[in-house]
Amino acid sequence: METYINKLRGLATAAAVAVQGKIEGGYSFTLSPAAIRGYSGLWTLYNATKKNSNQQATLWVFDKRQFFETGLNRQLLTAQNKQQISTMLANQVSQLSRLRHPAILQIIEPLEETRSEQLIFVTERIEYSLNDLLADPQQARELDELEIQEGLMQVAKGLQFLHSTAKLVHGNLEPSSILINAKSEWKIGGFGFATPIQTSRAAQQLEYHMPKYTQPAADFAAPEYVLDSRMVPASDVFALGCLAAAAHSPGGQSPMHAAASSNDLGAYRRLLTQLPKSSAISSLPGSLSAVVKQMLEPSYEQRMTLAQFQSSAYFDNVLSATLRYLAALIEQPGDQKIAFLRGLPQMLPKFPVRVLKRQVLPHLLKLLSDRNALRFLLPNIFHIVDKLNQAEFVSLALPELKPIFAANEQIQQQQPQAVVVIVSKLELLKGKMPTQDFQSMVMPMCYAALTSTVPQVQDSALQHAPAVAKSVSSSELREQLLPRLQHVYAKSSILSIKIRAIKCLHGILGLLDKQTIISKVMPLLKRTKSRDPAVVMAILDMYEEIGLSFLDRKQVAMEILPILWTQIIDDRLRLPQFERFSQVIAKLQSRVETEHRRHLEQVQRMDEQAGRFVPPIMEHAESTFAQQTGSTTDDDLFASLVNKNVPTNGSAAAMQNPLANLAPASNLDLEWEWDAPAPGMQSRPDTNAHPKSTAARRVSVEVDFASNDGMSDTADDFGSFASFLPPPPPPSSSSLPASSKSVAAKPALQLNMAPKPVPQNNGSLKPRSYQPPKTTKFGATKVATSPLNLSQKHAGGKAADLGDFDPFA
């Protein structure tokens, strides 16, 4: 399917090329003022991308209609001038298409003329011209001297190639003819006035009244051309000297700028003789001033040659030599290549950042195909990567590093030291790479390194894994990273690896949930058999964090502290290690004590807020006792009992029987209510019926078992609660006088509690809700109490059938 789509895309591109032309149909670009990348002479530069390969390129455009038919050009330019300009531009492209050299601009698509009368061609991707760079003050400040040195060296090599091999004189070397790509490489362009080397042939005469773009730039032209219309190879040397001075001057002006702007040849000659003493030359840095003076000699026969320029003292510095050797490193033997890469890390900090990004890094990335040098290449590459932002890393370095990450298994086997370097830079890569790319390309290499058989690889992976663990998901952490760490710790026989594994586990504790720590990490620590002090101390650090941050007080007390108390008495521990154990144990114990004390205080406050259950009979008894003894506090009561001081308003009998005066017997009434007996139940005589006597008075407390509202208990006159007893059977109406069938008058104590209706058909014991104390004809005292949550059913029967009833059975 993908092949079919590519065929369709190719057919569509071919159709567009047939209709629009090869460039318009085969490249994507935008011709708008906002898309302009720069200018070079009469050409306007735009970014372009080849459709079928995504190759980055630069589109050069000259709009004949707009240039010739608008503004002053429409009035000033004759037909001959227009023809000269068109010929010059066509000659420029024609010369470029025949030249191939690293210092000469590479042409990709030859010149075409569109239907809208535009001349267009395509070259390698260009960032800007030197003229644009020098015209921008901010970019001109960023232009480092080392970059200028390398640029001038490249131009010199390109000119030497033109003179010796192509047999051409450039004839118009100026800032707009120098093109700079993304690698800060200076490329020679602007071949519109290039001529063959023929000393006997005169060049076109310089005419000051003509537009400057119709003839070579006068301020960079050599004296033999300005004065005698001669063009020789040394003319390019003079232009190169002016170019070197312009690269160091504000706005990129030539030292001959003042004289070249006028038609006064006498002024030109005077300036030429004074040029060596001018400030434009004397202000040049270092040895460049002396070199430029020799390059600007009025006589071309006395000028410095290009070979002398390249070997001059201006280039005699270690950084320039390093760059030149690096550019040719790919051609060096393997041992020399490795020796150079070993020493390069000491030199990289001395380079300007701009040079590192644009010149050093591209050369190093080209060498990645040499796997034998990989372990020496990567440290240098990562040093520069550290100075890139994420966008720069993605565009400059990541495309070249992807094949290395993809060859994970092969590199693990053949280049383990390279894996050590990559794993040691996990945190750096995490910050530079997109998250998805990091997880899909780099983390697999980290996981493989954890289970490597090479100890150095394992150690590096364990050391740096915690730094990148935050970038993986929690599921991947539990399923990929944690099992490998457990395996390394459990299986490794190397003490340093085991300790590193413990520290790595400690480093990811904060990313694990409590359940994973309890189920996966704690059992691993408990199964540790090694008692080496280094291992024990590493585990102690983990126990400290787990106990303080993840477990509750009970788990700390039961799971961690017993283990620590066992390990602290090991004779292999030294005093500092023992003291460290003591500190951790003290911390954990303090936490347990503090939290458990806080828990108990909360429980106590809850109990106090809920209140102690005190039956009303006891509240009444306590208040009566206090009234009789005159004591209002527990201390007073205790003192009275110990000192046997009988209060003046009470008696010893009252002290011994505080419930005796709760209420007169006539105000007490013992009364029980019963549901109708279950069908078929027969009553039987009650052998435990209480006699009609007031000698053994009882206090009855009622409980509603069915509705959870009441409780019935009995207490003797001395206030001690006995077990629940069955109530006495009610006497038959035939054995009692009529006057006793009515209930006695209500007592003086009244509470606002209405009696609860009692169901009459379930055979249950249903004591009523709270009623004020009253006296029955049997002389018993009856007091209702607060509700309790109790319930008990009875199968049915009369009161006489409940002699053995147990409410809690």
Side-chain angles (χ1 to χ4, degrees):
M1 184 64 181
E2 185 176 355
T3 304
Y4 179 72
I5 294 175
N6 290 335
K7 285 184 178 180
L8 291 179
R9 188 177 298 155
L11 292 174
T13 302
V17 169
V19 175
Q20 300 175 343
K22 188 174 183 180
I23 296 177
E24 289 182 291
Y27 290 82
S28 59
F29 51 85
T30 302
L31 299 182
S32 65
I36 295 176
R37 292 292 300 171
Y39 301 91
S40 177
L42 296 179
W43 298 97
T44 303
L45 280 58
Y46 299 88
N47 284 343
T49 303
K50 197 168 186 178
K51 293 180 180 179
N52 59 2
S53 63
N54 290 326
Q55 180 184 2
Q56 302 299 304
T58 294
L59 177 69
W60 296 59
V61 179
F62 173 71
D63 194 331
K64 297 168 62 176
R65 183 182 302 174
Q66 182 181 6
F67 184 79
F68 292 148
E69 305 299 331
T70 60
L72 294 177
N73 291 337
R74 183 175 184 179
Q75 302 175 0
L76 297 177
L77 295 179
T78 64
Q80 183 181 2
N81 296 145
K82 295 178 182 179
Q83 184 61 38
Q84 288 176 344
I85 293 174
S86 298
T87 303
M88 180 266 297
L89 295 176
N91 182 54
Q92 179 177 349
V93 181
S94 176
Q95 295 287 359
L96 278 176
S97 62
R98 292 196 297 266
L99 300 173
R100 289 288 184 272
H101 189 271
I104 296 177
L105 184 66
Q106 180 183 357
I107 192 169
I108 300 176
E109 302 292 348
L111 185 68
E112 292 182 6
E113 185 169 357
T114 67
R115 297 178 180 180
S116 57
E117 297 186 29
Q118 291 177 330
L119 298 178
I120 58 176
F121 70 102
V122 179
T123 67
E124 61 180 298
R125 173 61 64 88
I126 296 299
E127 293 295 316
Y128 34 67
S129 68
L130 180 60
N131 185 65
D132 294 336
L133 178 63
L134 297 176
D136 187 341
Q138 181 178 356
Q139 291 193 14
R141 286 193 298 268
E142 295 177 356
L143 188 62
D144 187 80
E145 182 63 30
L146 181 61
E147 189 173 352
I148 295 176
Q149 286 181 357
E150 290 306 302
L152 293 175
M153 174 64 75
Q154 292 164 357
V155 172
K157 290 181 177 180
L159 291 175
Q160 193 173 22
F161 166 78
L162 285 176
H163 297 166
S164 60
T165 304
K167 305 299 182 182
L168 288 174
V169 177
H170 188 279
N172 191 32
L173 194 66
E174 47 132 355
S176 63
S177 300
I178 305 301
L179 294 312
I180 304 175
N181 63 12
K183 301 176 183 178
S184 289
E185 295 173 340
W186 291 19
K187 306 278 186 172
I188 302 176
F191 284 88
F193 299 100
T195 59
I197 300 178
Q198 295 178 356
T199 56
S200 59
R201 177 184 174 184
Q204 177 185 349
Q205 185 177 1
L206 185 65
E207 300 179 9
Y208 287 94
H209 66 279
M210 292 291 293
K212 64 177 184 179
Y213 37 77
T214 62
Q215 55 190 348
D219 50 349
F220 288 84
E224 59 271 17
Y225 174 72
V226 175
L227 301 176
D228 301 329
S229 301
R230 295 189 62 184
M231 191 75 71
V232 294
S235 301
D236 289 339
V237 176
F238 186 92
L240 182 59
C242 292
L243 189 69
H248 292 87
S249 65
Q253 290 186 348
S254 167
M256 303 297 296
H257 173 72
S261 60
S262 67
N263 196 19
D264 187 353
L265 294 181
Y268 182 85
R269 289 188 176 95
R270 287 193 298 271
L271 179 60
L272 194 61
T273 57
Q274 298 172 0
L275 193 60
K277 300 179 181 180
S278 66
S279 60
I281 305 301
S282 59
S283 62
L284 295 176
S287 57
L288 181 61
S289 177
V291 173
V292 170
K293 287 179 182 180
Q294 298 180 49
M295 298 175 74
L296 298 182
E297 281 287 340
S299 173
Y300 67 87
E301 295 175 348
Q302 298 178 0
R303 288 177 199 148
M304 177 182 287
T305 65
L306 290 173
Q308 292 173 338
F309 174 72
Q310 295 178 53
S311 60
S312 65
Y314 177 59
F315 300 103
D316 188 13
N317 64 80
V318 65
L319 295 183
S320 294
T322 301
L323 285 178
R324 290 194 295 272
Y325 194 90
L326 179 62
L329 185 62
I330 195 170
E331 303 172 357
Q332 302 300 326
D335 54 344
Q336 295 183 16
K337 186 185 301 182
I338 291 177
F340 175 82
L341 293 175
R342 282 180 176 224
L344 186 58
Q346 302 175 4
M347 298 300 302
L348 291 180
K350 301 178 182 179
F351 282 95
V353 176
R354 181 184 173 95
V355 174
L356 288 177
K357 293 180 182 179
R358 302 170 71 93
Q359 297 189 46
V360 178
L361 181 61
H363 289 304
L364 293 176
L365 292 175
K366 286 182 180 179
L367 298 171
L368 286 175
S369 57
D370 186 357
R371 297 297 171 82
N372 294 326
L374 191 60
R375 57 178 292 194
F376 307 104
L377 266 173
L378 291 175
N380 296 288
I381 292 175
F382 287 136
H383 175 88
I384 303 174
V385 165
D386 189 30
K387 302 180 183 303
L388 305 178
N389 57 42
Q390 188 178 44
E392 291 173 334
F393 174 78
V394 171
S395 62
L396 298 179
L398 185 57
E400 305 297 333
L401 290 173
K402 281 184 177 181
I404 302 299
F405 299 144
N408 178 17
E409 184 175 352
Q410 181 182 0
I411 294 177
Q412 293 276 354
Q413 296 176 356
Q414 300 178 1
Q415 297 290 331
Q417 295 300 325
V419 178
V420 172
V421 176
I422 295 174
V423 171
S424 68
K425 300 298 181 180
L426 285 177
E427 192 170 3
L428 172 65
L429 293 172
K430 173 178 171 290
K432 302 297 182 181
M433 296 178 67
T435 303
Q436 184 176 0
D437 290 341
F438 179 79
Q439 293 180 356
S440 62
M441 291 188 289
V442 179
M443 287 308 296
M445 182 170 287
C446 177
Y447 296 147
L450 288 173
T451 56
S452 173
T453 56
V454 181
Q456 293 86 345
V457 175
Q458 269 192 328
D459 185 76
S460 181
L462 291 171
Q463 184 177 358
H464 297 93
V468 299
K470 294 181 181 179
S471 64
V472 302
S473 62
S474 57
S475 59
E476 185 176 353
L477 190 67
R478 293 191 304 269
E479 298 170 4
Q480 297 289 340
L481 183 57
L482 183 59
R484 286 176 170 84
L485 294 179
Q486 292 174 306
H487 175 79
V488 173
Y489 177 70
K491 301 298 183 181
S492 178
S493 59
I494 303 175
L495 181 61
S496 61
I497 298 297
K498 190 177 289 289
I499 295 173
R500 185 75 75 181
I502 282 291
K503 293 182 177 179
C504 186
L505 281 170
H506 190 182
I508 67 170
L509 273 182
L511 305 175
L512 302 176
D513 57 88
K514 178 179 177 179
Q515 183 59 36
T516 302
I517 292 175
I518 294 175
S519 61
K520 300 291 182 64
V521 178
M522 288 291 291
L524 182 68
L525 301 181
K526 291 180 180 179
R527 290 195 299 267
T528 301
K529 298 180 180 179
S530 175
R531 287 297 178 261
D532 186 275
V535 176
V536 172
M537 297 307 295
I539 295 177
L540 175 65
D541 293 337
M542 288 195 66
Y543 276 139
E544 180 182 19
E545 182 170 349
I546 293 174
L548 294 176
S549 304
F550 297 97
L551 304 186
D552 57 36
R553 67 185 191 285
K554 293 184 179 180
Q555 291 171 323
V556 172
M558 300 173 63
E559 300 292 336
I560 296 182
L561 285 175
I563 297 175
L564 298 186
W565 277 117
T566 302
Q567 294 177 347
I568 194 175
I569 59 175
D570 195 320
D571 293 337
R572 284 171 286 190
L573 295 179
R574 296 296 179 260
L575 181 59
Q577 297 169 336
F578 173 82
E579 292 176 347
R580 171 65 178 151
F581 258 96
S582 300
Q583 292 174 359
V584 174
I585 292 175
K587 285 183 182 179
L588 297 179
Q589 287 189 161
S590 177
R591 184 202 166 195
V592 172
E593 293 172 2
T594 302
E595 293 186 3
H596 195 64
R597 181 180 293 106
R598 188 182 302 118
H599 168 72
L600 295 179
E601 290 172 351
Q602 292 176 353
V603 172
Q604 182 175 351
R605 283 195 297 270
M606 293 173 61
D607 290 344
E608 292 174 352
Q609 292 173 1
R612 177 174 59 91
F613 169 71
V614 180
I617 181 64
M618 295 304 299
E619 295 178 355
H620 183 64
E622 292 175 0
S623 62
T624 304
F625 182 76
Q627 292 174 4
Q628 293 175 351
T629 60
S631 299
T632 59
T633 64
D634 294 340
D635 294 338
D636 294 338
L637 297 176
F638 180 78
S640 300
L641 293 173
V642 173
N643 298 327
K644 298 182 180 180
N645 294 328
V646 180
T648 57
N649 59 348
S651 62
M655 290 288 292
Q656 297 174 359
N657 189 6
L659 301 178
N661 297 323
L662 285 175
S666 60
N667 293 334
L668 299 177
D669 182 20
L670 184 62
E671 183 173 295
W672 294 80
E673 292 182 356
W674 299 93
D675 289 346
M681 295 290 293
Q682 300 295 330
S683 63
R684 56 184 176 83
D686 186 7
T687 58
N688 297 322
H690 292 275
K692 290 184 179 181
S693 174
T694 60
R697 293 179 296 143
R698 312 291 297 182
V699 177
S700 177
V701 179
E702 293 189 351
V703 179
D704 185 354
F705 295 104
S707 63
N708 297 336
D709 290 334
M711 172 179 177
S712 178
D713 197 0
T714 58
D716 54 26
D717 292 347
F718 299 96
S720 60
F721 285 94
S723 60
F724 282 91
L725 297 176
S732 61
S733 57
S734 60
S735 62
L736 296 176
S739 59
S740 63
K741 296 179 181 179
S742 62
V743 180
K746 294 182 178 180
L749 179 60
Q750 297 288 339
L751 296 177
N752 295 327
M753 298 183 67
K756 182 178 181 62
V758 180
Q760 300 296 326
N761 57 356
N762 60 357
S764 300
L765 177 62
K766 289 294 182 179
R768 293 184 294 180
S769 299
Y770 178 74
Q771 294 275 344
K774 52 188 176 180
T775 305
T776 65
K777 58 191 173 183
F778 295 98
T781 301
K782 176 181 178 183
V783 181
T785 65
S786 301
L788 290 180
N789 296 327
L790 299 173
S791 176
Q792 178 67 34
K793 288 289 184 179
H794 178 53
K798 298 181 180 180
D801 299 329
L802 300 177
D804 56 338
F805 174 73
D806 184 359
F808 297 103

